[in-house]
């Protein structure tokens, strides 16, 4: 399951339509991300970017209304999130979740075991602890934070460094980065972007980077930039396109009545506050 | 009061000095004249006490048995809790033995039975007077008191560990035990006490794995009084792993003096019905209490907590954090009151109760209350009842972790977050270990069809 630079992996999205409570947010998405490629997805607020990230990863609460998503030929839409992850998909969410009492090292050890990577003795990869310590230095996360429960009491920037660290330790085939640059200062942005780009070069990581800003992309060096408006990819182009969008905005791509608000799923009921 | 095996003769047959016999006789008279509490009373709401049948239980005659094996069991149970200043083992409320560590000087710490005292120990019953018929019953059948006195300015590095063994085999059929502890921490002293309640002669002392509901019931009414004088510090842990044939009705009462602290940590894992009443009085300016509890119910267990944070003095602080989980058809009740008395200005009091509901058949009730008679105070309460957080589960699963492992991590994390705040280094790992054993096979995903599990999933 560990990627090697030679094996090519491919995430293929065809005609993907999806939404929340039967409101269509993604209105037909076509994308192909291969090993070693960096794709950027840019678009105005509410265009469906986060929905795309979560539908690809398999977050409960979204309804797929049509189309297909495959990773190396496996039908992802038929699988729960954990099985998609085991096939090599990774999501760095925009808002990483706090998990009280569960250590980051513990999460990484379980995740490596789950993907069959931890039991590979003598591979030179080392244990979760060794890998995490090495990656902490590369992404600029204080080593002492590795012993903290996942995301607990971390700043926005530390969380994004932690996401990048997890990506680097787990070495997925394809990573979806949902606004990895939000919450980061200039130094943090540089550290995480360099680490992701190094993954592309080291083990052929394929990247789907959702962002508002060109700054992340100047380090990630996307091969393709897609513009997502109203749940559709309305334009795709080369790296220059990101700079152009930074200057001109999305006005030229928006037609009246086109914008569909992005949406989050409704939380499952069962939470009661008796006060 | 209906006819039961608890009789005046049984009470007066207990051994002890005159003051204790007199005390028992008085309690017996009040018990016989009264009636059992009812669910209609606010402090018994949700408890199911109306179904309680006292005639199922009976007093235990002091067993004629050698102390050696019980001491051995006590040592084994205490061992995982770490080093100690002294070990006390009781058997159905009677003290079997006291072992003090040679490194602790006699003039620093005294741990004794009260059966050879010519007078009642100072403070006995002051913090935990009999609140109801169960309290009177306890006093009428009290076998002995574990009396811990920490001398003024004494600083003890390790806690006193008290292991209370409860055994139904001692009685023909049913049984009852009334363990009692009285702890006095002198001015400017620092000490710790751990009490562990465990069943013996039962198939499972962790109180869980294969609860034998056909086992004869055992009534356990423990009472602990903790007096912390001025400028003193006490750490206290109360760990309950009785088997599920036990009905436990516990009282913990504390009084904390000026600039003193009490850090208390209660863990309720066992018992069929297990109730803990926690009364905490802050009587000296600048006094501070931290009251923590963790509970986990499985099968048809009921865990029932009633707490009182009673602020008498200015600038006193209390922080309460009770957290638990219910699985299978288990139930929990939390009902707590913060009382800020007139004159306790500058008081700060916090009360938090979180409940994880791990199965459809499980249920948790949470009732926080405030009674504030003073301005210029800071109080808050918060309470949640709900299933495992979906976002937390999704986050772990998006890292390739199976639902079963993700749930286990989240639930153990929930407890370990609390265990990390235990007042003794040995208690946190003990809790995590006990909870981990108890959870095996109890989480929703453990019931997922094996076919959907990944082959890699350990």
């Amino acid at each position: 399951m560990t990627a090697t630079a030679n094996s090519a992996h491919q995430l293929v999205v065809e005609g993907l339509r999806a939404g929340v409570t039967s409101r269509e947010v993604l209105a037909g998405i076509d994308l192909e991300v291969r090993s070693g490629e960096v794709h950027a997805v840019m678009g105005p607020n509410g265009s469906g970017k986060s929905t795309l990230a979560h539908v690809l990863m398999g977050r409960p609460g979204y309804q797929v209304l049509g189309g297909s998503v495959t990773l190396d030929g496996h039908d992802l839409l038929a699988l729960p999130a954990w099985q998609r992850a085991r096939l090599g998909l990774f999501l760095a969410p925009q808002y990483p979740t706090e998990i009280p009492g569960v250590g980051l090292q513990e999460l990484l050890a379980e995740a490596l075991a789950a993907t069959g990577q931890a039991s590979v003795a003598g591979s030179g990869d080392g244990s979760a602890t060794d890998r995490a310590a090495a990656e902490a230095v590369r992404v600029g996360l204080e080593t002492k934070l590795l012993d903290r429960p996942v995301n607990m009491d971390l700043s926005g920037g530390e969380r994004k460094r932690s996401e990048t660290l997890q990506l680097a330790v787990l070495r997925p085939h394809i990573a979806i980065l949902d606004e990895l640059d939000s919450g980061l200062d200039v130094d943090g942005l540089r550290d995480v972007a360099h680490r992701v780009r190094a993954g592309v070069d080291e083990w052929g990581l394929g990247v789907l980077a959702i962002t508002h800003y060109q700054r992340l992309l100047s380090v990630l060096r996307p091969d393709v930039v897609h513009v997502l408006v109203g749940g559709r990819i309305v334009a795709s182009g080369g790296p220059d396109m990101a700079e152009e969008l930074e200057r001109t905005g999305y006005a030229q791509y928006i037609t009246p009545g086109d914008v569909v608000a992005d949406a989050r799923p409704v939380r499952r009921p069962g939470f009661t506050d008796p006060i | 009061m209906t006819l039961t095996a608890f009789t005046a003769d049984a009470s007066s047959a207990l051994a002890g000095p005159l003051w204790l016999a007199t005390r028992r006789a008085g309690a017996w008279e009040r018990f016989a004249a009264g009636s059992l509490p009812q669910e209609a009373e606010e402090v018994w709401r949700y408890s199911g006490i109306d179904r309680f049948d006292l005639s199922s239980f009976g007093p235990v005659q002091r067993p004629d048995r050698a102390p050696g094996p019980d001491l051995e069991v006590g040592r084994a149970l205490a061992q995982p809790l770490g080093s100690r200043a002294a070990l006390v083992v009781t058997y159905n409320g009677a003290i079997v033995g006291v072992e003090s560590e040679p490194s602790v000087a006699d003039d620093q710490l005294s741990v004794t039975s009260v059966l050879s005292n010519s007078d009642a120990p100072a403070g006995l019953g002051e913090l935990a007077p009999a609140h109801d018929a169960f309290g009177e019953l306890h006093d009428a059948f009290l076998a002995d008191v574990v009396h811990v006195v920490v001398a003024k300015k004494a600083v003890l590095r390790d806690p006193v560990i008290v292991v209370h063994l409860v055994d139904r085999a001692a009685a023909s059929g049913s049984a009852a035990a009334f363990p009692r502890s009285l702890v006095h921490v002198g001015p400017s002293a620092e000490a710790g006490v751990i009490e562990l309640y465990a069943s013996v002669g039962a198939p499972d002392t962790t109180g869980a794995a294969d609860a034998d509901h056909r086992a004869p019931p055992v009534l356990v009414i423990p009472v602990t009084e903790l007096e912390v004088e001025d400028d003193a510090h006490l750490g206290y842990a109360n760990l309950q792993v009785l088997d599920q044939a036990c009905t436990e009705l516990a009282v913990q009462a504390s009084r904390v003096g000026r600039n003193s602290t009490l850090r208390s940590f209660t863990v309720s894992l066992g018992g069929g019905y297990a109730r803990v009443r926690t009364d905490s009085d802050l009587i000296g300016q600048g006094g501070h209490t931290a009251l923590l509890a963790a509970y986990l119910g499985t099968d048809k267990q009921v865990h029932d907590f009633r707490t009182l944070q009673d602020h008498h003095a200015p600038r006193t602080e209390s922080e309460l954090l009770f957290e638990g989980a219910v699985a299978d058809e288990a139930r929990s009740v939390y009902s707590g009151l913060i009382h800020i008395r007139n004159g306790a200005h500058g008081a700060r009091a916090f009360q938090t109760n979180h409940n994880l509901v791990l199965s459809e058949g499980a249920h948790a009730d949470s009732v926080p209350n405030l009674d504030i008679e003073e301005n210029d105070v800071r109080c808050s309460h918060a309470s949640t009842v709900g299933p495992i957080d979906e976002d937390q589960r999704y986050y772990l699963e998006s890292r390739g972790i199976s639902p079963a492992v993700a749930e286990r991590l989240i639930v153990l994390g929930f407890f370990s977050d609390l265990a990390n705040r235990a007042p003794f280094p040995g208690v946190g790992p003990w809790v995590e270990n006990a909870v981990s054993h108890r959870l095996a096979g109890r989480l929703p995903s453990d019931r997922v069809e094996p076919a959907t599990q990944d082959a890699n999933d350990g």
Side-chain angles (χ1 to χ4, degrees):
Chain A
M1 154 90 221
T2 309
T4 63
N6 296 331
S7 64
H9 300 279
Q10 193 174 25
L11 175 73
V12 180
V13 181
E14 286 179 328
L16 180 64
R17 294 189 301 114
V20 177
T21 56
S22 55
R23 190 160 55 89
E24 190 174 88
V25 178
L26 300 179
I29 302 280
D30 296 287
L31 273 174
E32 282 187 40
V33 182
R34 294 180 194 82
S35 290
E37 291 181 357
V38 176
H39 292 242
V41 174
M42 304 182 79
N45 291 327
S47 59
K49 300 190 300 296
S50 284
T51 297
L52 175 62
H54 285 303
V55 169
L56 292 180
M57 193 68 236
R59 180 184 175 134
Y62 292 91
Q63 285 98 47
V64 174
L65 305 167
S68 69
V69 180
T70 61
L71 178 57
D72 299 338
H74 297 279
D75 175 10
L76 290 191
L77 298 177
L79 300 175
W82 58 282
Q83 288 180 330
R84 300 184 195 195
R86 289 182 184 193
L87 290 171
L89 191 66
F90 182 93
L91 168 64
Q94 186 179 357
Y95 303 108
T97 309
E98 293 187 337
I99 310 182
V102 179
L104 180 57
Q105 302 268 25
E106 197 179 357
L107 178 154
L108 289 170
E110 290 289 353
L112 284 174
T115 51
Q117 296 183 61
S119 53
V120 186
S123 68
D125 277 338
S127 63
T129 314
D130 292 346
R131 289 203 208 181
E135 291 298 342
V137 176
R138 294 186 71 176
V139 303
L141 187 72
E142 281 184 75
T143 315
K144 68 176 185 195
L145 299 182
L146 295 173
D147 298 322
R148 287 255 190 98
V150 177
N151 294 319
M152 291 296 287
D153 303 318
L154 298 193
S155 70
E158 286 166 341
R159 289 181 192 205
K160 296 309 176 84
R161 290 179 196 261
S162 167
E163 290 300 310
T164 309
L165 177 143
Q166 292 178 53
L167 184 158
V169 169
L170 299 176
R171 296 169 75 100
H173 302 320
I174 306 287
I176 305 159
L177 312 176
D178 190 1
E179 300 201 18
L180 187 65
D181 43 2
S182 71
L184 278 171
D185 58 20
V186 178
D187 294 338
L189 182 65
R190 186 196 58 225
D191 291 345
V192 304
H194 276 292
R195 185 63 193 97
V196 173
R197 181 65 225 185
V200 175
D201 302 329
E202 279 170 25
W203 75 85
L205 174 69
V207 175
L208 185 66
I210 293 167
T211 182
H212 281 295
Y213 303 105
Q214 205 275 329
R215 207 158 48 197
L216 175 72
L217 302 180
S218 67
V219 178
L220 281 188
R221 302 199 309 274
D223 302 287
V224 191
V225 176
H226 306 279
V227 180
L228 184 66
V229 174
R232 285 190 186 83
I233 291 176
V234 294
S236 298
D240 305 345
M241 200 162 169
E243 288 167 41
E244 187 196 320
L245 283 169
E246 187 112 316
R247 276 200 315 277
T248 62
Y250 299 107
Q252 60 173 309
Y253 299 108
I254 298 176
T255 50
D258 208 14
V259 179
V260 182
D262 208 340
R264 286 169 64 83
V266 181
R267 282 182 69 100
R268 192 170 70 184
F271 186 94
T272 55
D273 187 343
I275 300 173
Chain B
M1 201 57 85
T2 45
L3 196 65
T4 70
F6 296 100
T7 61
D9 286 350
S11 171
S12 60
L14 292 168
L18 182 60
W19 65 265
L20 185 53
T22 310
R23 194 175 188 278
R24 288 184 191 125
W28 170 259
E29 278 174 28
R30 289 187 296 276
F31 171 78
S35 56
L36 292 178
Q38 297 189 328
E39 194 147 350
E41 297 168 45
E42 180 58 30
V43 291
W44 291 92
R45 203 172 145 202
Y46 305 117
S47 67
I49 199 67
D50 289 354
R51 292 190 297 280
F52 180 83
D53 180 10
L54 187 61
S55 66
S56 307
F57 308 96
V60 180
Q61 296 307 311
R62 187 147 187 202
D64 180 21
R65 49 192 275 148
D70 292 328
L71 267 173
E72 205 47 58
V73 171
R75 286 189 203 110
L77 288 170
Q79 194 275 330
L81 295 168
S83 50
R84 57 196 183 232
L87 172 70
V88 185
V89 179
T90 76
Y91 178 90
N92 284 349
I95 293 175
V96 173
V98 177
E99 297 178 341
S100 294
E101 291 299 308
S103 58
V104 181
D106 288 348
D107 61 353
Q108 303 282 291
L109 171 69
S110 145
V111 181
T112 57
S113 153
V114 298
L115 293 186
S116 50
N117 287 25
S118 52
D119 294 303
L124 181 66
E126 207 172 301
L127 303 184
H131 298 287
D132 49 39
F134 293 118
E136 302 292 5
L137 188 67
H138 169 100
D139 282 342
F141 288 90
L142 184 60
D144 200 347
V145 177
V146 177
H147 191 205
V148 177
V149 179
V150 182
K152 182 177 178 177
K153 292 187 180 168
V155 176
L156 305 180
R157 192 193 55 194
D158 298 317
V160 174
I161 298 182
V162 186
V163 178
H164 298 285
L165 303 177
V166 173
D167 187 4
R168 75 168 62 80
S172 52
S174 59
F178 305 94
R180 179 90 180 209
S181 300
L182 174 63
V183 176
H184 186 114
V185 183
S188 305
E190 287 178 33
V193 174
I194 299 175
E195 292 194 274
L196 173 67
Y197 299 86
S199 295
V200 288
D204 171 29
T205 53
T206 65
D210 48 351
D212 185 353
H213 293 294
R214 290 160 304 169
V218 181
L219 177 64
V220 189
I221 305 186
V223 176
T224 296
E225 292 170 292
L226 308 170
E227 174 90 63
V228 188
E229 295 232 36
D230 294 349
D231 303 303
H233 305 283
L234 176 64
Y236 175 70
N238 184 303
L239 314 173
Q240 190 267 98
V241 289
L242 294 165
D243 73 50
Q244 291 187 22
C246 291
T247 293
E248 189 210 25
L249 302 162
V251 176
Q252 296 170 15
S254 64
R255 186 159 64 189
V256 171
R258 181 169 45 80
N259 296 329
S260 294
T261 55
L262 167 67
R263 296 178 54 76
S264 152
F265 189 80
T266 298
V267 180
S268 290
L269 299 178
Y273 170 76
R275 172 187 174 96
V276 182
R277 171 178 173 148
T278 304
D279 289 357
S280 162
D281 282 320
L282 288 149
I283 59 159
Q285 183 163 320
H288 184 113
T289 57
L291 306 171
L292 278 64
Y295 47 97
L296 169 63
T298 60
D299 304 290
K300 296 186 177 197
Q301 284 183 288
V302 179
H303 287 116
D304 181 350
F305 297 92
R306 312 286 160 152
T307 67
L308 172 63
Q309 296 153 265
D310 201 345
H311 291 247
H312 301 252
R315 288 185 288 287
T316 43
E317 275 190 34
S318 66
E319 306 163 65
L320 178 145
L321 177 60
F322 276 39
E323 292 193 333
V326 280
D328 302 332
E329 293 171 62
R331 218 155 57 75
S332 69
V333 181
Y334 172 79
S335 173
L337 176 65
I338 292 173
H339 185 193
I340 310 285
R341 297 191 186 228
N342 197 0
H345 54 83
R348 289 154 47 94
F350 307 101
Q351 186 189 68
T352 308
N353 173 230
H354 293 306
N355 297 281
L356 268 185
V357 179
L358 300 176
S359 70
E360 297 257 316
H363 184 77
D365 287 297
S366 183
V367 190
N369 286 296
L370 297 174
D371 179 1
I372 299 174
E373 300 168 3
E374 180 60 73
N375 299 316
D376 177 33
V377 298
R378 258 191 77 197
C379 295
S380 74
H381 57 191
S383 132
T384 59
V385 177
I388 290 175
D389 187 86
E390 232 179 62
D391 291 343
Q392 294 178 10
R393 185 206 306 258
Y394 170 59
Y395 186 88
L396 292 179
E397 289 182 19
S398 77
R399 299 298 185 243
I401 295 171
S402 72
V405 174
E407 281 184 5
R408 186 170 308 286
L409 286 174
I410 292 166
V411 176
L412 290 177
F414 176 80
F415 284 104
S416 102
D417 186 45
L418 197 67
N420 287 336
R421 306 182 210 192
F424 307 102
V427 168
W430 182 93
V431 173
E432 291 181 281
N433 190 39
V435 167
S436 169
H437 276 90
R438 283 293 304 282
L439 280 173
R442 306 282 178 174
L443 294 171
S445 293
D446 291 340
R447 293 186 278 272
V448 168
E449 295 296 312
T452 67
Q453 297 286 307
D454 188 281
N456 287 333
D457 181 22

